Amino acid sequence: MASSSRLSMNHDSNSLGSLNHTTGDISATSNSKSANERVPGNEWIRNALAILRKGEISLLDFLAKLLDPSERDHATHRDRMYTPPKYGAPRKLDNVFDLILSGPRGGPSLTCWMEPCKIKMVSCKIYDEMDAVKDELRGTIDTITSAFLLQWDINSTVTDVMDNNAPIP
C-alpha cells in the first residue's frame, strides 16, 4: 500500500489539473473556466487518475483511505457516499455496487467476498421479522375471551400479521 504521506497530498480543491498526455505532467487548471472552456467529464477522470498514478496510489488504495473511519479528514466525503440522494434519485453507491456485481470479473469477486456474510444477513433479517410477528401476536390471558375465540381464524390473526411484518417479496 502507498505510504500515508503520498495519500495525503495537498491540492487545491478548485483545480484538478490538466494532463499533458505526451509527457505525463499535470499542470494546474482552474475550475472557474467559462462554460465554453470546461474540461469534458472524461478528461476530468483521466486527470484524476493521472494524479493518482503520479503519486503512485492505486484507485483502490485511494478508496480504502477515503473510507477508513480513522481518517477524520475524509469524513465529509465518506458521509456523502452513504447519504440518500434528494428527490428519490438512485444512490450513486447503489449504482457502483450494481456495476461491480454485473461485471464478469466484479460479480464473482463481490459474491465471493459476500459469501461469509450472507447467512448472517439472512438470519438477522428473519430473526428481526419474526420478533416483530411474535410481539404483535403475543397476547395475555385477559385477551383470550369467548368473543375472541369465536372470531379467531388463521387469516385475520396470523396471515395479516405475517404479511405486514415479514412480507414475502
Side-chain angles (χ1 to χ4, degrees):
M1 182 168 196
S3 73
S4 153
S5 62
R6 284 190 182 140
L7 290 177
S8 60
M9 293 184 296
N10 291 329
H11 67 282
D12 176 3
S13 62
N14 291 325
S15 140
L16 183 53
S18 177
L19 175 65
N20 179 326
H21 293 283
T22 306
T23 65
D25 291 336
I26 300 164
S27 62
T29 57
S30 173
N31 193 22
S32 60
K33 291 183 176 186
S34 72
N36 294 337
E37 299 178 70
R38 289 186 188 250
V39 177
N42 285 339
E43 185 70 19
W44 282 102
I45 301 291
R46 281 193 295 275
N47 292 347
L49 291 172
I51 291 169
L52 291 175
R53 200 169 35 253
K54 189 167 186 171
E56 298 179 15
I57 305 166
S58 77
L59 181 60
L60 290 178
D61 286 341
F62 175 78
L63 287 172
K65 194 72 166 176
L66 184 70
L67 295 172
D68 183 348
S70 71
E71 295 290 335
R72 301 183 91 138
D73 291 345
H74 309 306
T76 301
H77 295 289
R78 188 172 42 253
D79 292 344
R80 285 183 184 161
M81 286 179 56
Y82 303 118
T83 303
K86 296 176 183 172
Y87 313 113
R91 285 188 329 162
K92 290 180 182 180
L93 185 59
D94 293 346
N95 185 43
V96 169
F97 291 148
D98 288 342
L99 289 169
I100 293 171
L101 198 54
S102 66
R105 293 173 58 193
S109 293
L110 187 57
T111 302
C112 182
W113 176 83
M114 289 171 44
E115 186 73 31
C117 306
K118 62 185 169 187
I119 290 178
K120 182 179 180 182
M121 290 169 53
V122 171
S123 296
C124 287
K125 177 75 172 166
I126 292 170
Y127 182 83
D128 291 344
E129 288 179 353
M130 291 302 107
D131 267 359
V133 168
K134 181 178 70 176
D135 288 346
E136 198 163 323
L137 289 177
R138 185 174 288 151
T140 63
I141 198 72
D142 297 339
T143 60
I144 303 174
T145 63
S146 57
F148 172 81
L149 292 173
L150 290 171
Q151 293 176 354
W152 189 93
D153 79 325
I154 193 87
N155 289 328
S156 64
T157 307
V158 177
T159 305
D160 292 345
V161 172
M162 290 293 293
D163 289 345
N164 290 333
N165 292 287
I168 298 172

